[in-house]
Amino acid sequence: MNIIFLLAPFSVVLGLMAVGAFVWTLRASQYEDIRGAAERILIDDDDHPDAPETGEAPGR
Amino acid sequence: MAVTFDAASRPDMSAFLRRTDDGQTRLDLLVTGARCAGCIAKIEREMARLPGVISARLNLSTGRLALGLENVSVDPGRIIAALERLGYPATPYDPGAALAQRDQEGRRLILALAVAGFGAMNAMMFSVPIWAGLFDQELGPATRSMMMWMSAAVGAPCAIFAGMTFFRSAWRSLRAGRANMDVPISVGVILTLAISFSETILNGRDAYFDAAVSLLFLLLIGRWLDHVLRAKARSAAGDLLALQAPVACVVDGAGRERSIPLSDVQPGDVLRVRPGDRIPVDATLEDGEALLDNSLLTGESAPERVRPGQLCRAGAVNTSGLLTLRAHARSEDSTLAAIARLVDAGAQSRSRYVRLADRAAALYVPVVHAAALATFAGGWALGLDPREALIRAVAVLIVTCPCALGLAVPAVQVVASARLFRRGVLVKSGAALERLAEIDHVVFDKTGVLTEGRPVLVGASPTIIAMAGPLARASSHPMARAVARAAGEGPLATDVVEHAGLGIEGLINGRRARLGRAGFVGVPTLRSGETELWFGFEGDPQVRLQFSDVLRPDAAETVAALKARGITIEILSGDQVGAVKAVAGTAGVAAWRAGLMPEEKSEAIDRLAAEGRKVLMIGDGLNDAAALARAHAAIAPGTALAASQNAADLVLTGDALMAVVEAIDVARSARRRALENFGFAALYNLVAAPAAMLGLVNPFVAALAMSGSSLVVTLNALRVRSRR
């Protein structure tokens, strides 16, 4: 049963880390544009070297 | 439109460029029409290609495009023109308003929610062994005591942090001498924590740390939903207003045009107003002759003719050529602002409305506190140990927790307003839905509500429309636009010259043609109506194009649908008797009054309210704003003026008037769901409270009952979404 003295605090620390991660995503404004984030995954990445029109992209 | 709004003729908008602290220049634009990944990619790629643009990021949820620019010499006009070429109309966003949008309260709520969620889960983790002990599982007293201490260590700080929102609100309400829903919540949480601590110290039986935190967690969900609803409506309403008249075009000493924020206009400034734009502040006409559409100000559908030196009121639409005006008053002192103050006064009277949840709280608070007190006093009197009696009293407070009550209304309203939002109705607050559900009488304004509020071509043959089309497309005059709409897509006239207040001249297939007032086109006529245009090729006979403000296509259907729901209907209009009578006849409304002043409208609303009627006012004009604010509930179309949209509870973002009927249906259905939820919560308390009094409730039962009742209430709320 002594393992509980390790596991119980450990689980609390894990929980605290989850809260910390959530606060971080909040601060990094990841919830500002939920719809946009869902759509952006569908955008083709034209900066890929094989893509036909790459001329100006690296300039920015 | 391409002719009048290309990059060259756009005024300077550099007032909207913002310097950030790190030396960058930023520009915020409100973009309409962006819907999908393709739009994001197209806009961001094209923007980044423009010279001087470093970064572009579009927020699809809010429609705001944030641009990083190289320096302040980049012309926003060219960026807006480029966006318009891509097919996305854009407006500069007022930096002041954008900063005000920072959502402090929302952040605090969500942080409290996160902490409460963490606390609830982890305190519960230590409670599970204790609950197991309740069911005769093996648990030594030392382990049990340790679990309680761990539960306290995690649960208590989280409960105190997450509960601050409620404690503060309860304290404010107590100091004001009233008890809101937060008072029993705070009393319950604080008492629960205190008892749980003393039980833990005394090696007692029950500790309710997990119950206290999960109670706060569930309540915070309700709070947060309510907040999201209001914040979303607020920012969407702000966007609608930003699209209207955020800028005024000022001419400086050197004759250069600059766009400045409305609030920066000073008396004496020379203003330029393009055809189709609104007069930004009260101003006198410098030269030429203006034809102003006052329909939003007075409800009158025929335009007013203004001569040099006469006053043009803010909010009127310029339907003639380019106007030069001299500002007469600042934005805050203009006609618009005066009416806005009238509206504020009305809105205060409406804030006396008591929300459903608060009415429930007024019943709930004394009953529950009396029950808890009776449990303690009765238990002690009947020979219970005072400590046991106190634990039972606290158990009563916990199981009758108002979390079902706290979720009952917000959950329903969030679902209802999300459904209405998809149908083009913007709900500004939850209270608005509650009031809308109660209405039994609808008052319509005529111009812009039952009618389109803009001239539509009537009775012209397709050949004539096709002939005049190329010239009409080159003008932004409302009547010319009506012709262009009727003609559809097609070629543009060349060599176009617009003569202010007269008409437009240009070459169609090499032949000179004119479109405009009778005298301008060369018709010898004694009187020229304000609702007609003439068109003719040089040397040919001229033809007359007649316009009128037509009924919205679904106006009659809407009136019929409202009648079918047992709602009485009336038209109160500022327009002339003839025009109102015609519209009332076609729409099927028997009760109507014409020629009303704004005060008469709001008095009429007050009289109806005094008779005990719950009035819904639907109006768009400034003359309606006071009436909108005084009515029990108010709806404004998206084309309405800023003041009217502010005064209204709901804003229609689409064109269909039928949305009003849907809004009423959804509001009524939401009210039914909310009342069902209250009924369920009452039933639950009727069972749970006596059980707690008899000492049948332990922490495990409390946790189950609490989350169970919240779940039922939320599931019931979701039914609003699917109901047709």
Side-chain angles (χ1 to χ4, degrees), chain B residues 293-296 298-303 445-459 478-479 482 485 530-532 545-553 555 573-576 578-584 586-587 620 639:
Chain B
D293 174 2
N294 277 325
S295 61
L296 281 178
T298 60
E300 201 159 328
S301 45
D445 173 42
K446 181 187 75 79
T447 319
V449 176
L450 283 174
T451 67
E452 298 271 4
R454 56 176 192 199
V456 172
L457 193 55
V458 284
M479 288 194 207
R485 264 199 306 278
E530 308 295 7
T531 55
E532 63 179 26
L545 299 165
Q546 186 91 40
F547 297 86
S548 89
D549 189 10
V550 297
L551 211 60
R552 279 184 199 255
S573 175
D575 206 354
Q576 265 115 40
V580 181
K581 189 175 183 179
V583 166
T586 330
D620 70 331
T639 49

Side-chain angles (χ1 to χ4, degrees), chain B residues 660-694:
Chain B
V660 170
V661 181
E662 170 134 24
I664 294 174
D665 281 351
V666 171
R668 288 183 170 181
S669 141
R671 185 185 162 83
R672 261 196 305 278
R673 292 291 96 76
L675 289 177
E676 280 169 15
N677 279 350
F678 283 144
F680 171 78
L683 195 72
Y684 158 81
N685 280 347
L686 275 182
V687 177
M693 285 176 182
L694 297 174

Side-chain angles (χ1 to χ4, degrees), chain B residues 28-106:
Chain B
D28 286 310
L29 297 173
L30 200 57
V31 180
T32 47
R35 272 194 191 87
C36 61
C39 303
I40 301 179
K42 198 157 117 194
I43 290 174
E44 291 186 352
R45 198 179 303 135
E46 292 304 316
M47 286 299 105
R49 271 189 196 154
L50 288 177
V53 178
I54 300 168
S55 66
R57 178 117 188 144
L58 177 73
N59 185 326
L60 195 63
S61 313
T62 58
R64 276 172 213 161
L65 176 64
L67 293 166
L69 305 177
E70 266 168 18
N71 49 48
V72 284
S73 62
V74 181
D75 176 19
R78 289 189 44 198
I79 294 173
I80 294 173
L83 276 169
E84 239 157 59
R85 269 199 304 279
L86 288 175
Y88 304 100
T91 329
Y93 202 79
D94 183 7
L99 282 177
Q101 287 293 329
R102 294 215 167 255
D103 183 12
Q104 285 297 332
E105 198 198 341

Side-chain angles (χ1 to χ4, degrees), chain B residues 286-505:
Chain B
E286 282 280 281
D287 56 51
E289 202 183 55
L291 211 52
L292 296 181
D293 174 2
N294 277 325
S295 61
L296 281 178
L297 288 157
T298 60
E300 201 159 328
S301 45
E304 180 199 5
R305 188 172 298 281
V306 180
R307 299 188 190 287
Q310 283 186 315
L311 185 73
C312 305
R313 271 172 302 173
V317 177
N318 172 19
T319 65
S320 41
L322 194 65
L323 295 182
T324 308
L325 306 163
R326 190 169 288 277
H328 195 73
R330 292 189 311 145
S331 172
E332 300 97 273
D333 305 327
S334 289
T335 318
L336 271 170
I339 296 195
R341 277 192 287 276
L342 208 65
V343 168
D344 275 349
Q348 274 167 11
S349 76
R350 186 187 284 160
S351 67
R352 282 198 291 270
Y353 174 81
V354 184
R355 295 191 59 169
L356 274 179
D358 292 331
R359 277 187 254 174
L363 271 174
Y364 168 90
V365 175
V367 170
V368 165
H369 281 188
L373 204 64
T375 309
F376 176 66
W380 199 2
L382 291 176
L384 273 179
D385 183 32
R387 185 170 142 205
E388 174 65 24
L390 193 60
I391 288 177
R392 284 193 190 182
V394 168
V396 169
L397 280 181
I398 291 174
V399 290
T400 58
C401 84
C403 50
L405 279 180
L407 275 171
V409 179
V412 171
Q413 285 172 349
V414 161
V415 175
S417 53
R419 180 176 154 186
L420 285 175
F421 191 75
R422 283 196 301 275
R423 300 296 175 86
V425 182
L426 184 71
V427 181
K428 288 218 245 163
S429 73
L433 274 179
E434 294 176 17
R435 283 189 266 106
L436 186 62
E438 294 175 354
I439 62 114
D440 57 8
H441 185 81
V442 176
V443 172
F444 279 104
D445 173 42
K446 181 187 75 79
T447 319
V449 176
L450 283 174
T451 67
E452 298 271 4
R454 56 176 192 199
V456 172
L457 193 55
V458 284
S461 79
T463 6
I464 294 169
I465 296 173
M467 268 191 336
L471 204 48
R473 282 184 204 106
S475 168
S476 59
H477 186 282
M479 288 194 207
R481 271 201 290 225
V483 176
R485 264 199 306 278
E489 296 276 318
L492 265 174
T494 50
D495 276 3
V496 178
V497 184
E498 192 147 4
H499 298 270
L502 293 172
I504 184 167
E505 182 180 354

